[in-house]
Amino acid sequence: MSTVENASPADDSAPTEAVGIAAQDWAAASASPQYRAAVVDLLGALAYGELAAFERLAEDAKLAPTLDDKAELAAMASAEFHHFERLRDRLAAIEVEPTAAMEPFAKGVDDFHRQTAPSDWLEGLVKAYVGDSIASDFYREVASHLDNDTRALVLGVLDDTGHGNFAVEKVRAAIEADPRCGGRLALWARRLMGEALSQAQRVVAERDALSTMLVGGVDGMAAGFDLAAVGEMFTRITKAHTKRMAALGLAA
């Protein structure tokens, strides 16, 4: 996901105590075929998401108004590719062909990026800061129910590398210079919110192993994480989105 600043979806109400498979390591947890399938899906979705983010940021760099801005986006793209490499290598290490793991998610991710292609530099920054962060929040929530080893990997590739401040500064400066662009960018961010949440919901709905994991149906791996908790998870993601909008100086 994006390497921009990610306000954690976990507020005081987020689950924190490791139970079931969440308290195990990969060697023990992967004994469950259904859990293993869920992790392969998760890593495949993340890996393709990182690869697509790398391509998109490299393309968005063409919209940068200055060389410094272009270099900043290039650094963000590079970080995304390194995250992709970590996920690809983990898939290979657990004897899964990375391309096969990513393939089921390629169309959905590509459709999302096609439907949310920024028309200018500022829209690209808002997408990197807000849009990608919504997906990151979703995967952080899922990570709390993974085994120790997989959780560490997922959280590692979702880590902020400090580029969030860059996006916030640029967008706020643009709004200060021309307040009229604030309304346009707020509408754009709300559209990103809807598209990103829809994509996250589709990922879960279309992959049986992942959906079973999220409702606690695989050997108690997510004990207590029922359908109501899934709704609470999306509520936390929405709250985190509102905070990011405020950081940008935009109305949610």
Side-chain angles (χ1 to χ4, degrees):
M1 290 302 101
S2 174
T3 55
V4 297
E5 180 180 344
N6 283 307
S8 173
D11 56 16
D12 293 340
S13 63
T16 56
E17 183 180 356
V19 294
I21 285 183
Q24 301 176 17
D25 62 14
W26 169 251
S30 61
S32 164
Q34 194 164 22
Y35 175 73
R36 178 184 171 85
V39 169
V40 169
D41 274 352
L42 179 65
L43 297 184
L46 272 171
Y48 191 77
E50 295 287 357
L51 184 59
F54 158 73
E55 294 177 321
R56 176 178 50 83
L57 285 169
E59 185 68 20
D60 287 353
K62 297 177 181 178
L63 301 172
T66 71
L67 287 177
D68 284 343
D69 293 336
K70 188 184 295 288
E72 188 70 25
L73 276 195
M76 293 168 69
S78 176
E80 299 284 16
F81 190 76
H82 288 312
H83 290 164
F84 160 73
E85 290 179 315
R86 290 181 63 187
L87 292 160
R88 178 199 61 194
D89 293 347
R90 174 59 67 87
L91 284 165
I94 62 174
E95 300 182 340
V96 174
E97 207 287 309
T99 300
M102 292 188 290
E103 186 62 37
F105 307 99
K107 184 180 185 302
V109 173
D110 290 346
D111 285 347
F112 169 75
H113 286 306
R114 184 172 58 254
Q115 292 162 2
T116 59
S119 62
D120 60 23
W121 163 247
L122 291 175
E123 286 189 1
L125 288 179
V126 170
K127 181 177 178 179
Y129 182 68
V130 173
D132 291 356
S133 296
I134 294 167
S136 293
D137 285 348
F138 168 71
Y139 288 119
R140 285 175 189 272
E141 291 276 359
V142 175
S144 66
H145 304 285
L146 298 171
D147 65 272
N148 295 331
D149 299 321
T150 306
R151 182 167 62 250
L153 171 66
V154 170
L155 293 179
V157 300
L158 296 176
D159 270 350
D160 170 37
T161 57
H163 294 290
N165 290 337
F166 170 79
V168 169
E169 290 171 4
K170 293 292 182 180
V171 172
R172 291 186 73 94
I175 294 173
E176 183 176 349
D178 181 7
R180 293 174 300 177
C181 74
R184 173 175 68 87
L185 293 177
L187 287 173
W188 170 244
R190 286 196 283 273
R191 177 185 169 193
L192 291 170
M193 174 68 172
E195 294 286 355
L197 284 181
S198 294
Q199 185 197 27
Q201 291 166 343
R202 283 195 298 270
V203 167
V204 174
E206 294 174 2
R207 305 301 295 181
D208 289 343
L210 273 179
S211 60
T212 301
M213 181 179 73
L214 282 174
V215 298
V218 180
D219 299 334
M221 76 170 79
F225 195 49
D226 56 18
L227 288 174
V230 173
E232 293 169 1
M233 174 187 73
F234 282 109
T235 296
R236 287 192 294 274
I237 292 173
T238 300
K239 288 180 178 178
H241 167 74
T242 300
K243 291 179 180 179
R244 290 193 186 94
M245 292 285 281
L248 289 170
L250 299 175

